[in-house]
Amino acid sequence: MDRRSPSETLLRLLGERSALFVLTGAGVSAESGLATFRGPDGLWEGRDPASLATPEAFARDPETVWRFYAWRRRQARRASPNAGHLAIAALERARPQTDGFLLATQNVDGLHERAGSTRMVRLHGSLWRSRCAAEGVEIDDDRDEFDEFPPRCACGGPIRPGVVWFGEALPEAAWALAERGARACAIAIVAGTSSLVYPAAALPDIAKRAGAYVVEINPEHTPLSDWAHERLAGPAGEILPSLVGPEAHR
Ligand code: BJW
């Protein structure tokens, strides 16, 4: 059933400080002014993901790929965390026990970190990291201006954005922690994702099979909407704050 305010069941579970797993996607940053990927005004609208977010695209046309990510870095630098990011950080602070909270984000924009989230894993890398495509090592390089394409590592190899593209494996440690967090939680909150991209989209199912109460926060219907225990149909920046604070934890 679609609703905008949390059910008694959810408020009770939150009030008990039950172990919480949060999975986020681009929709959580939409209210910070950053475009999502899919849908009308999305980043993939009028752009072919295969020409921007695959290792093959980078090998074929590193300049187009780097210009896209340099533009994304400029957009993200100008953005600020919104009420949804801040609410997730507050939900973490309310669960000081190590196993009581984990945030797994598909977002690469760094807004969760800037909002104060610490117990988190980045499933799809970071806009603020680069990597040598030849050696695989991460490089401290978050420039958005370049004098050559692709920029070069000291070893001579091409430097690429430190994100996970289609067809690439997710960072092993981040995935292992996310899977463990999903398996161990009592509540799984899934906010602002189309639930289309795997393996991240499998995490709510892992949580549900392990017995968790699964809650979706999204103004639009997704494949998860059909089987989540609770669906809060609205913007994350409005709904997430309603899960925080003494009134939500009675
Ligand atoms: C709001 C809102 C508001 C708006 N409040 N909500 C199983 C089945 C089918 C395919 C596959 C499968 N397993 C793997 C695949 C292939 C592929 C895949 O999933 N393809 C599908 C698209 C069909 N997956 C992969 O390739 C992954 N790798 C892999 O599986 O490797 C296997 C392997 C193993 C071992 C060795 C080698 C390989 C990698 C996936 C990487 C995804 N990368 C991207 C780009 C990252 C860098 C960048 O940022 O540019 O990640 S693609 C893009 O999609 C980005 C996102 O993180 C990801 C998910 O998107 P997200 O966040 O859900 O955004 P949207 O736009 O889709 O949705 C936004 C939602 O927000 C909407 O629902 C709105 O309604 C909502 N919203 N405003 C709340 N205010």
Side-chain angles (χ1 to χ4, degrees), residues 141-182:
D141 177 7
D142 63 359
R143 283 175 295 168
D144 56 39
E145 305 248 4
F146 301 95
D147 37 30
E148 59 168 343
F149 292 101
R152 296 275 164 192
C153 170
C155 81
I159 295 179
R160 56 160 284 176
V163 299
V164 180
W165 285 324
F166 286 113
E168 295 187 312
L170 272 53
E172 219 171 290
W175 175 253
L177 280 171
E179 220 184 343
R180 200 173 75 189

Side-chain angles (χ1 to χ4, degrees), residues 34-63:
L34 298 181
T36 61
F37 291 90
R38 296 163 185 84
D41 302 327
L43 290 169
W44 296 157
E45 180 65 26
R47 293 187 177 102
D48 175 13
S51 70
L52 291 168
T54 61
E56 293 76 18
F58 182 70
R60 204 169 41 237
D61 186 355
E63 177 166 352

